[in-house]
């Protein structure tokens, strides 16, 4: 009996009327976390914190084979597996990349590939303390009953795919859906986007993968920044409502939002300070501080624009790690430097480090933009861009 009494009077418990034990708030919270994410809860929190570490962000190289082919064709290369492998090897074997990059999102093909000398790409990343991630959605298709909008497919078989990706070494996942302002967005499209993201997030966590939650609000349109803010708040409120309904562990997710900007065809461009103000307003109104990291997508901004805007958001402390998950805004200069030539690999890797370091400084609020090339200032927006 003495042993039982000692247990009940520990810091995590107290006695209720009738001798029943009541757990303290921290103990109840720990139980809720375990229930929400199952046996992987501690690992999920640890992975998310590692990706959301100071001065680091995500390199997104999860383009589909078709989209990667478009990138290669821009420098005169055919879309073949050896060419895709050569380009991704260039990126993933860059010495010193782990100083600025904490995670790399891979396409399924890349997750299973190795370097030409037989090292698995996953191991190349782990050796630099970079978490391997994986794109798990199956792309966008038309949403029946909507205003010409899309929904993201891929829930069928997702649990088994996530389990296999975990075995292969992936530790986080990405699912991208989109919302179009010129098309509404309709209530149906917003709900479908939010529900799909929530189901994916719950399934990913159940299989040990930290889910990146990405409802991209497309840049397409001539609307002002206030309209973007209005839509972003609506979409993110739906997303977190359904994440909670699906018992997703907020401490074990990462967000990949669009920055709040005017539409690409709007008559006036917004300054980095204005974009930071509107974006942080949206985040503070919608995103719980339990979420460890906000990893912004670049969405067709120029390399310099994306970095300047990120820097502006880190001029004062935020409740979350505010960083980057860039594809084109990290790779554009790299591709143009490489040109598919073996003798250019070293120069291309240096170009990658330049962009990665610039965004690392922006995450710390220390980027100035000095010495940037004209090429890095060119916008990359494409109407109706697909991955």
């Amino acid at each position: 009996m003495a042993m039982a009494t000692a247990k009940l009077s520990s810091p995590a418990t107290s006695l209720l009327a009738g001798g029943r034990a009541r757990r303290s708030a921290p103990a109840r919270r720990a139980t809720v976390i375990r229930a929400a994410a199952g046996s992987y809860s501690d690992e999920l929190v640890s992975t998310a914190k590692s990706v959301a570490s100071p001065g680091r962000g995500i390199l997104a190289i999860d383009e589909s084979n078709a989209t990667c082919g478009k990138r290669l064709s821009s420098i005169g290369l055919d879309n073949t597996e050896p060419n895709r492998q050569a380009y991704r090897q260039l990126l993933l074997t860059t010495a010193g990349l782990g100083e600025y990059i904490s995670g790399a999102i891979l396409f399924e093909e890349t997750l299973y590939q190795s370097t030409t000398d037989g090292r698995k790409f996953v191991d190349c990343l782990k050796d630099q303390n970079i978490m391997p991630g994986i794109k798990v959605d199956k792309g966008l298709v038309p949403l029946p009953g909507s205003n010409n909008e899309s929904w993201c497919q891929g829930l069928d078989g997702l649990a088994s795919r996530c389990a296999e990706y975990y075995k292969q070494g992936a530790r986080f996942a990405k699912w991208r859906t989109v919302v179009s302002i010129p098309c509404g967005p309709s209530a149906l499209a917003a709900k479908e986007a939010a529900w799909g993201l929530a189901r994916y997030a719950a399934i990913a966590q159940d299989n040990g993968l930290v889910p990146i939650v990405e409802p991209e609000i497309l840049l397409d349109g001539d609307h002002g920044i206030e309209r973007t803010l209005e839509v972003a708040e609506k979409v993110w409120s739906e997303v977190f409502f359904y994440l909670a309904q699906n018992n997703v562990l907020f401490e074990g997710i990462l967000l990949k939002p669009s920055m709040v900007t005017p539409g690409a065809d709007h008559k006036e461009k917004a300054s980095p300070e204005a974009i930071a103000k509107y974006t942080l307003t949206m985040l503070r109104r919608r995103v719980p501080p339990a979420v460890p990291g906000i990893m912004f997508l670049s969405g067709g901004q120029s390399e310099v624009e994306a970095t300047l805007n990120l820097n502006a958001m880190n001029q004062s402390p935020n409740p979350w790690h505010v960083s980057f998950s860039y594809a084109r805004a990290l790779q554009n200069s790299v591709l143009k430097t490489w040109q598919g030539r073996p003798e250019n690999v070293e120069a291309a890797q240096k170009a990658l480090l330049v962009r990665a370091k610039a965004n690392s400084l922006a995450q710390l609020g220390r980027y100035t933009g000095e010495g940037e090339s004209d090429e890095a200032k060119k916008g990359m927006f494409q109407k109706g861009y697909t991955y």
Side-chain angles (χ1 to χ4, degrees), residues 260-279:
V260 177
T261 69
D265 296 326
H266 188 64
K267 57 188 177 183
E268 294 180 9
K269 292 191 70 172
S271 68
E273 293 74 22
I275 290 169
K277 175 185 174 183
Y278 278 88
T279 303

Side-chain angles (χ1 to χ4, degrees), residues 233-263:
E233 288 183 347
K234 174 185 172 72
V235 170
W236 280 105
S237 65
E238 294 254 15
V239 168
F240 274 99
F241 174 78
Y242 288 116
L243 287 173
Q245 277 208 334
N246 281 272
N247 297 311
V248 171
L249 173 63
F250 288 177
E251 292 88 346
I253 67 174
L254 296 165
L255 304 187
K256 187 171 178 175
S258 314
M259 296 180 191
V260 177
T261 69

Side-chain angles (χ1 to χ4, degrees), residues 106-113 121-122 132-134 165 168-170:
L106 310 177
F107 190 61
E108 186 177 61
E109 177 183 76
T110 317
L111 183 69
Y112 291 91
Q113 283 179 326
F121 282 156
V122 167
I134 178 71
Y165 297 149
Q168 186 63 18

Side-chain angles (χ1 to χ4, degrees), residues 302-321:
S302 75
E303 291 177 330
V304 171
E305 278 179 328
T307 310
L308 284 169
N309 292 337
L310 177 62
N311 186 72
M313 281 184 261
N314 282 299
Q315 293 308 298
S316 58
N318 292 302
W320 337 264
H321 173 81

Side-chain angles (χ1 to χ4, degrees), residues 344-360:
N344 291 344
V345 167
E346 186 177 346
Q349 290 179 329
K350 287 181 179 177
L352 175 59
L353 288 175
V354 166
R355 293 264 42 93
K357 182 178 180 180
N359 286 290
S360 169

Side-chain angles (χ1 to χ4, degrees), residues 83-106:
N83 284 340
R84 294 192 298 271
Q85 186 268 353
Y87 178 54
R88 286 158 175 164
Q89 177 171 319
L90 180 162
L91 297 169
L92 299 179
T93 60
T94 298
L97 189 62
E99 185 176 350
Y100 314 117
I101 300 296
S102 56
I105 311 173
L106 310 177

